[in-house]
Amino acid sequence: DTEVTQTPKHLVMGMTNKKSLKCEQHMGHRAMYWYKQKAKKPPELMFVYSYEKLSINESVPSRFSPECPNSSLLNLHLHALQPEDSALYLCASSQDRGNNQPQHFGDGTRLSIL
Amino acid sequence: AQSVAQPEDQVNVAEGNPLTVKCTYSVSGNPYLFWYVQYPNRGLQFLLKYITGDNLVKGSYGFEAEFNKSQTSFHLKKPSALVSDSALYFCAVSPKRNNQGGKLIFGQGTELSVKP
């Protein structure tokens, strides 16, 4: 069982909808991440939060808006997405942003944009 | 540019035989090295990491990896493959740069198929 929980598991939305992806961990980790993954490809980093503050934004379009309400929760707000945004969105956490820390991944939200 | 290469898109192994999934990297300094596995419809699972010390690292599910500094390689190995090992494997590297903590450089992935 994964220790990082993501909801929903699947999401279908139109290009004009607003939706949110949620991620939760209770391992006491202080770094949390959002990734986008296309089929059979490596994950692409989108955002990194450290101690609830945004540390890295990999030039992600503004239609993706991250939020870290507290140390256990990470949200990704979606608005006016494009068909090419259809992908698996993975959340991960690590003890901190130390380069030697392994990341623990959730099972993702599979997003389809109509 | 810093990069990680997994030269084989797919590796096919018979159950019970040893397996190797290859990884080489081109990263300055002495980076930290990781292997992750992704089963169908799941997220990535951490298998093992090399930080320093012994070049042979043991990890989850009977996997181990051999670090070779001169060849800048970090190959994943298992003495006896199981059908349940069939999955997508990613090698990842974390450069030792203070301002980029948390950023992993991933290889393109290797699909491992173990046949009975």
Side-chain angles (χ1 to χ4, degrees), chain A residues 37 40 58 97 99-100 103 107, chain B residues 36 38 42-43 95 101-102:
Chain A
Q37 186 183 27
K40 307 285 190 185
E58 290 287 271
R97 275 185 64 200
N99 292 345
N100 62 347
Q103 295 180 21
D107 285 337
Chain B
Y36 290 87
Q38 187 173 29
R42 301 296 300 274

Side-chain angles (χ1 to χ4, degrees), chain A residues 7-45:
Chain A
T7 56
K9 293 190 183 304
H10 302 274
L11 179 63
V12 180
M13 58 187 288
M15 289 191 284
T16 59
N17 292 156
K18 287 185 180 181
K19 296 286 185 183
S20 297
L21 309 185
K22 297 187 183 301
C23 174
E24 189 169 5
Q25 59 88 12
H26 293 289
M27 294 178 282
H29 288 175
R30 302 315 299 267
M32 296 186 76
Y33 311 79
W34 280 116
Y35 289 88
K36 174 184 178 180
Q37 186 183 27
K38 292 284 197 178
K40 307 285 190 185
K41 298 294 186 183
E44 301 169 28
L45 183 65

Side-chain angles (χ1 to χ4, degrees), chain B residues 27-88:
Chain B
V27 176
S28 58
N30 297 313
Y32 302 114
L33 306 165
F34 301 85
W35 275 102
Y36 290 87
V37 59
Q38 187 173 29
Y39 298 100
N41 301 312
R42 301 296 300 274
L44 279 67
Q45 292 182 31
F46 167 68
L47 276 180
L48 50 77
K49 68 179 180 181
Y50 176 81
I51 304 299
T52 187
D54 194 349
N55 290 343
L56 187 64
V57 179
K58 294 190 183 298
S60 305
Y61 312 121
F63 283 93
E64 55 191 27
E66 186 169 12
F67 170 65
N68 187 316
K69 185 175 181 179
S70 63
Q71 297 184 4
T72 61
S73 68
F74 189 52
H75 300 331
L76 183 70
K77 299 173 185 285
K78 187 173 183 181
S80 179
L82 299 173
V83 173
S84 57
D85 293 329
S86 298
L88 184 59

Side-chain angles (χ1 to χ4, degrees), chain A residues 2-3 6 8 20 27 29 40-41 43 46 60 65 76-78 84-85 90 97 101 103 106 108 114:
Chain A
T2 179
E3 296 170 329
Q6 291 188 243
S20 297
M27 294 178 282
H29 288 175
K40 307 285 190 185
K41 298 294 186 183
M46 300 174 71
V60 179
S65 175
L76 186 63
H77 303 298
L78 314 173
E84 61 266 27
D85 296 323
L90 293 167
R97 275 185 64 200
Q101 296 297 323
Q103 295 180 21
L114 300 179

Side-chain angles (χ1 to χ4, degrees), chain A residues 72-99:
Chain A
S72 300
L73 293 174
L74 188 65
N75 298 322
L76 186 63
H77 303 298
L78 314 173
H79 173 55
L81 295 194
Q82 303 298 307
E84 61 266 27
D85 296 323
S86 296
L88 181 67
Y89 287 83
L90 293 167
C91 174
S93 70
S94 60
Q95 186 172 340
D96 54 43
R97 275 185 64 200
N99 292 345

